[in-house]
Amino acid sequence: MITLEQIPMVATPSMNDTHMEESLIINKLTDAATNKELDLVASSLRELLAHTEIHFANEEKMMEESEFSDLKIHKTEHDRHLRELAHLIKYFEANREPNAILAYIHGNLVAWSLHHIGTMDAEAAKYISSKK
């Protein structure tokens, strides 16, 4: 679970909105896995991946338009995370194991998301907002 208070605020408001939306999907996924609602876990995983793809594409477009020098590094991290989510979906579809999803959320996803927002996204957002 991610509380809204945990999400670092960055200098670009649209990024903050997207991060809050994504945290709500992560929380829905957490609840579904905790309650062993397998169909809701599956649909929430797909929703998370779709949202994350759009989220990252929008961020990358803003970084590209502002000529952010660390775009390639940032995009590499986005791509790695998307591959990880896609792999997790394939694993869940094959095994239908909600405890594996909870392990991923608590052992990786929440910490990675908060760290990524507080470091890479904060830096990019500061740069993007300085170019407006």
Side-chain angles (χ1 to χ4, degrees):
M1 293 290 253
I2 298 177
T3 64
L4 297 181
E5 295 79 25
Q6 288 178 289
I7 302 169
M9 293 293 111
V10 300
T12 304
S14 64
M15 290 172 72
N16 291 323
D17 293 344
T18 299
H19 295 150
M20 286 188 257
E21 291 167 0
E22 198 154 298
S23 72
L24 295 174
I25 298 168
I26 292 169
N27 291 346
K28 179 170 65 170
L29 175 61
T30 303
D31 287 342
T34 299
N35 295 322
K36 299 184 181 355
E37 298 175 66
L38 302 183
D39 290 339
L40 185 55
V41 170
S43 65
S44 297
L45 282 168
R46 289 189 299 275
E47 179 183 6
L48 179 60
L49 179 60
H51 186 278
T52 304
E53 288 170 339
I54 293 167
H55 164 187
F56 289 173
N58 288 339
E59 278 185 11
E60 290 162 13
K61 182 179 180 196
M62 288 188 290
M63 287 186 275
E64 186 175 329
E65 289 172 351
S66 67
E67 299 178 341
F68 181 60
S69 62
D70 287 340
L71 168 61
K72 187 173 181 178
I73 294 167
H74 202 129
K75 183 174 181 355
T76 298
E77 186 61 14
H78 283 172
D79 292 346
R80 184 203 59 76
H81 183 68
L82 289 171
R83 283 190 307 274
E84 196 172 84
L85 281 176
H87 178 74
L88 182 68
I89 291 169
K90 285 182 184 178
Y91 176 86
F92 184 76
E93 288 172 348
N95 297 286
R96 307 280 288 177
E97 179 48 60
N99 289 332
I101 302 306
L102 290 171
Y104 174 73
I105 292 167
H106 298 304
N108 182 308
L109 181 60
V110 171
W112 180 87
S113 295
L114 296 176
H115 182 263
H116 182 80
I117 294 166
T119 57
M120 296 183 97
D121 283 355
E123 181 182 335
K126 184 177 177 183
Y127 185 85
I128 291 164
S129 68
S130 77
K131 295 296 179 179
K132 290 184 178 180

